[in-house]
Amino acid sequence: MQSKMLAPLFLMLVFLSGCMSESQTIIDDEGARESSFDWGLPDSIPLPQEPDDNPMTEEKFQLGRHLFYDARLSTNGTVSCSSCHHQDKAFSDGVDRATGATGDVHPRNSQTLVNVAWYQTLTWGNPSLGTIEQQITLPLFGDDPIEHGLNESNSEQIIQAIQADPVYSELFISAFPDQDDPLLGDLVWDNTIKSLASFVRGLVSFDSPYDQGELTDSAKRGEALFNGERLECFHCHAGYNFSDATIDRETTFAELDFHNTGLYNIDGLGAYPSPNTGRHEVTGKAEHMGQFRAQSLRNIELSAPYNHDGSVATLEDVVSNYARGGRLIASGENSGDGRVSPVKDGFIVSFEITDDEVSDVVEFLKSLTDTTFINNPRFSDPWTEDD
Ligand code: HEC
Ligand code: HEC
C-alpha cells in the first residue's frame, strides 16, 4: 500500500528537476475577488491564486498548522517544518544553512514564509517549482539533502501515528468532508501536503509601518533611494510584495525572472559553488548561472543572515555588495570578485552611496517588519493550546 501511494510522490520529485515554460499567460477572470477563505487583506492587495484542486479553506489551514508544528512527521521525530521556519523570524531560522533530521546540512538558507501565496515560483532559484504543494514534497520526501527524511520504509509507521491521534481524526475529517476516510493510507500524504500548503499560503503579512504609511524621515529618504534610478532596487524587488516574481488574480502576463546579483564571480576564483548555481542547477544553461529569484523584502530585518546561502551577515552588507556592483572578498570561504561576473543582470551596476544613505535604505527595509505577523496567534504552535 505504502509504495503504491509514495510512488507518485517520488516520480514528482524527478519531474521537478525538469522545466516548465519560461513565460506564462495567466488570466483568472472568474471570481477574481472570491474565495471561501478570509484572507484578511487590505483593499489594495489583489487576492493570490488558489489551485483548482486545493482551494483554501479554514479547516485545511488549521490542519496544516498542526502538521507544520509536528515533529512526528520526520524519520526520527526530531524535525518539523517549524524547526527551520520560526514564526518570530518571519519563518526563517537565523542560521546560514539549516540541518535536517539526520544531520545533512542544506546547501541553502531557510527562507522566510511570508506571502508565499503570491510567488510565481518557489525556493531560491527553481523555475520548475510552480506550486507550494510541489515544493512541500521536497522537505518531506527529498533525500538530497535529507530534511524530514520520510521514505517508503518509515512512511507506514508515521501514517499510523497520525491515524492514532484523535486530534488529527477530527481535523482531517473536517478538512476533507467529501472523503469517506481522509486518514486512509494512500490519502494521508496527499491530504497532508494539501493542508500544509494551505497553511503556508495563509501566512499573510501586509501590516507593517510601511503599509500603515508610518515611515520615519530616514525611512522616507531610504524609500526614495530604493525607488530611484541610482540604486535600482525597485526593478527586481518590485510592487506590493517587493519581488518581481509576484503573481496574483489580476496578473495577465508573467515572465519568469531570475537574476545574478554578482555574489560570486562565475568564471574565476570562488565561482557560484555547486549545487548553489541557481536557475542553472535546473536548466543546465550557462546563461542561467548564478541566477536566483528576487526575494520579497517584507520582514527582511528578521531573517539574517542573507542571500541564498546565508553568506551575507547584515542588511548593510547586502547594500554594500550592490554598491560595489558585486561582492568582493579577498580570502576565506566565499573569496572571489562578484563584480566581474559576466552574466550579471543589467540592473546590477555599481553606484556611489554614503554611509548615511546606506542607513536610510536599511531603515526603509526595517519599515517592512510586520510585528502583527510574527505575533499572530493563528500562525503559532497549536499543540501547546490543544493539551
Ligand atoms: C531542514 C530545514 C527545513 C525544513 C525541515 C523545512 N524547510 Fe522549508 N525551506 C528550507 C530551505 C533551506 C528552503 C530553501 C530551499 C531552496 O532554495 O532549495 C526552504 C524553502 C521553503 C519554501 C519556499 C519558500 C519560497 O519563498 O519560495 C516553502 C513553502 C517551505 N520551505 C515550506 C516548508 C514546509 C511546509 C516544511 C515542512 C513540511 C518545510 N519547509 C521544512 C528549510 C527547511
Ligand atoms: C537585478 C535584480 C536585483 C536588483 C537590482 C536588486 N536586487 Fe536584491 N536580490 C535580487 C536577487 C536575485 C536576490 C537573491 C540573490 C542571491 O541570494 O543570490 C536578492 C536578494 C536581496 C536581499 C537578501 C534577501 C534574503 O532573503 O536574504 C536583500 C536584502 C536585497 N536583495 C535588497 C536589495 C536592495 C536594497 C537593492 C537595491 C540596492 C536590491 N536588492 C537590488 C535581485 C535584485
Side-chain angles (χ1 to χ4, degrees):
M1 180 172 66
Q2 48 176 315
S3 51
K4 196 180 82 199
M5 131 241 111
L6 277 177
L9 288 168
F10 289 122
L11 269 182
M12 189 146 104
L13 286 176
V14 174
F15 165 76
L16 292 178
S17 55
C19 229
M20 75 177 195
S21 81
E22 297 282 296
S23 60
Q24 302 173 328
T25 301
I26 302 145
I27 304 172
D28 179 357
D29 31 24
E30 277 174 45
R33 299 290 315 176
E34 283 171 26
S35 176
S36 58
F37 185 72
D38 180 7
W39 286 92
L41 298 178
D43 289 344
S44 56
I45 305 297
L47 280 178
Q49 301 190 335
E50 292 174 35
D52 291 341
D53 65 349
N54 191 22
M56 285 294 278
T57 65
E58 180 64 18
E59 291 76 16
K60 278 187 275 185
F61 174 90
Q62 289 299 345
L63 169 56
R65 181 179 162 211
H66 283 76
L67 293 161
F68 188 90
Y69 285 98
D70 194 342
R72 283 176 289 180
L73 249 63
S74 64
T75 178
N76 49 13
T78 58
V79 160
S80 67
C81 309
S82 65
S83 305
C84 302
H85 298 289
H86 310 184
Q87 185 179 7
D88 65 333
K89 296 186 172 62
F91 294 96
S92 64
D93 61 4
V95 296
D96 54 353
R97 292 176 301 145
T99 305
T102 55
D104 282 7
V105 176
H106 201 296
R108 280 174 287 276
N109 178 248
S110 300
Q111 289 176 297
T112 58
L113 301 179
V114 173
N115 303 338
V116 180
W118 282 263
Y119 274 129
Q120 188 185 6
T121 61
L122 284 304
T123 73
W124 283 100
N126 190 332
S128 65
L129 275 179
T131 69
I132 303 173
E133 286 78 0
Q134 291 172 338
Q135 195 282 328
I136 283 174
T137 60
L138 297 172
L140 287 178
F141 301 100
D143 58 5
D144 185 24
I146 289 178
E147 295 173 70
H148 290 243
L150 302 189
N151 56 41
E152 304 207 20
S153 51
N154 60 27
S155 151
E156 190 63 39
Q157 203 188 334
I158 292 165
I159 289 181
Q160 281 165 10
I162 295 176
Q163 287 166 336
D165 186 330
V167 174
Y168 276 133
S169 309
E170 213 173 294
L171 288 166
F172 271 83
I173 288 166
S174 54
F176 298 96
D178 299 337
Q179 296 176 8
D180 291 340
D181 183 1
L183 278 150
L184 200 71
D186 47 355
L187 275 177
V188 176
W189 289 127
D190 192 43
N191 290 342
T192 292
I193 288 166
K194 285 188 166 137
S195 305
L196 279 168
S198 300
F199 176 68
V200 170
R201 214 165 254 130
L203 297 173
V204 167
S205 170
F206 292 106
D207 196 20
S208 64
Y210 167 81
D211 298 293
Q212 306 302 337
E214 289 164 7
L215 297 191
T216 62
D217 288 342
S218 167
K220 280 183 195 153
R221 290 192 297 271
E223 182 183 26
L225 288 162
F226 187 92
N227 289 319
E229 292 296 339
R230 173 157 50 115
L231 271 60
E232 312 222 51
C233 315
F234 72 102
H235 283 298
C236 306
H237 300 285
Y240 58 83
N241 204 30
F242 297 90
S243 167
D244 62 2
T246 302
I247 50 171
D248 57 46
R249 303 245 189 129
E250 291 169 6
T251 305
T252 50
F253 180 77
E255 192 91 31
L256 277 187
D257 270 327
F258 293 84
H259 314 275
N260 172 10
T261 62
L263 212 53
Y264 297 90
N265 170 21
I266 68 176
D267 66 355
L269 283 173
Y272 273 85
S274 178
N276 282 333
T277 59
R279 186 191 199 177
H280 164 272
E281 186 192 348
V282 175
T283 67
K285 292 187 181 163
E287 67 267 30
H288 294 161
M289 174 61 81
Q291 288 189 347
F292 290 86
R293 188 190 72 187
Q295 299 295 299
S296 170
L297 300 179
R298 288 185 171 274
N299 298 300
I300 196 74
E301 177 186 9
L302 306 173
S303 72
Y306 298 105
N307 287 103
H308 65 269
D309 54 2
S311 64
V312 179
T314 65
L315 288 172
E316 285 79 3
D317 292 343
V318 173
V319 177
S320 304
N321 289 338
Y322 283 118
R324 274 191 300 262
R327 179 166 63 176
L328 179 62
I329 295 186
S331 62
E333 202 193 346
N334 299 307
S335 64
D337 188 352
R339 297 173 308 174
V340 298
S341 200
V343 294
K344 266 186 318 182
D345 195 285
F347 295 120
I348 303 291
V349 283
S350 59
F351 50 81
E352 299 278 324
I353 189 165
T354 66
D355 289 348
D356 284 347
E357 286 175 324
V358 171
S359 303
D360 289 340
V361 173
V362 170
E363 188 69 13
F364 171 62
L365 295 177
K366 289 182 178 174
S367 79
L368 303 175
T369 303
D370 178 351
T371 51
T372 315
F373 177 72
I374 57 169
N375 293 310
N376 192 337
R378 276 174 63 73
F379 305 155
S380 67
D381 184 349
W383 295 101
T384 47
E385 294 167 13
D386 285 340
D387 309 337

